[in-house]
Amino acid sequence: MKQYISKFKTNERSPKRSTLSFSVYSGIGGAIAIATVALLTHFTKSPFLMAPFGATCVLAFGVPNSPLAQPRNIVGGHLISTLIGLMCLYLFGNEWYSLALGVGFSIGIMQLTKTTPPPAGADPLVVILGAETLGFVINPVLSGAVIITIIALIFNNLDKKRKYPTYWR
């Protein structure tokens, strides 16, 4: 037990904070991405937006070099987690264990497929609690994730100091 508790002790410090210009630029990128998706939702009356996309923007614009922020992770992770959430909903309904299984399986499968964006871990919860249908995979999940990724590709590369993506595969 003492050895276990000793793991909580560390001398490490948090990484240094971002510069003001990097932080402002990141915030503008996230705002543009969510505004675009929200406006598409408003004008088309089709859903392009879901709550986990806010956290996806934190990755895509706030830490664009992170392995978790790469396009394959954003699009693939949201698709995988949503499909797993739908499977759990159809098999088990809206139950505490379907929520747990949806999140747990999503984490494992995303890690195995190298498509792990943390915001996608919320997708099974959104799907199950909202009793969504298979159409949810296209709108908002696929369309919204692709739109955010395209905006991240364009916006992040406008800045001379940023390069996005770090990798595709």
Side-chain angles (χ1 to χ4, degrees), residues 43-66:
F43 288 120
T44 65
K45 306 296 185 223
S46 294
F48 287 90
L49 189 61
M50 63 178 185
F53 286 160
T56 298
C57 286
V58 173
L59 288 173
F61 300 98
V63 285
N65 294 329
S66 167

Side-chain angles (χ1 to χ4, degrees), residues 16 24 48 52 55-56 58 61 63 66 74 80 82 96 108 110 118 121 126 133 141 162 166:
K16 66 179 184 174
V24 169
F48 287 90
T56 298
V58 173
F61 300 98
V63 285
S66 167
I74 291 173
I80 287 168
T82 299
W96 66 268
M110 286 189 299
V126 172
T133 63
V141 177
R162 293 183 186 223
T166 302

Side-chain angles (χ1 to χ4, degrees), residues 54-102:
T56 298
C57 286
V58 173
L59 288 173
F61 300 98
V63 285
N65 294 329
S66 167
L68 305 174
Q70 301 310 302
R72 71 173 280 126
N73 294 59
I74 291 173
V75 176
H78 279 294
L79 281 175
I80 287 168
S81 290
T82 299
L83 289 169
I84 290 171
L86 285 167
M87 181 181 68
C88 289
L89 175 64
Y90 292 152
L91 292 174
F92 309 115
N94 182 349
E95 300 291 340
W96 66 268
Y97 51 86
S98 64
L99 296 164
L101 289 170

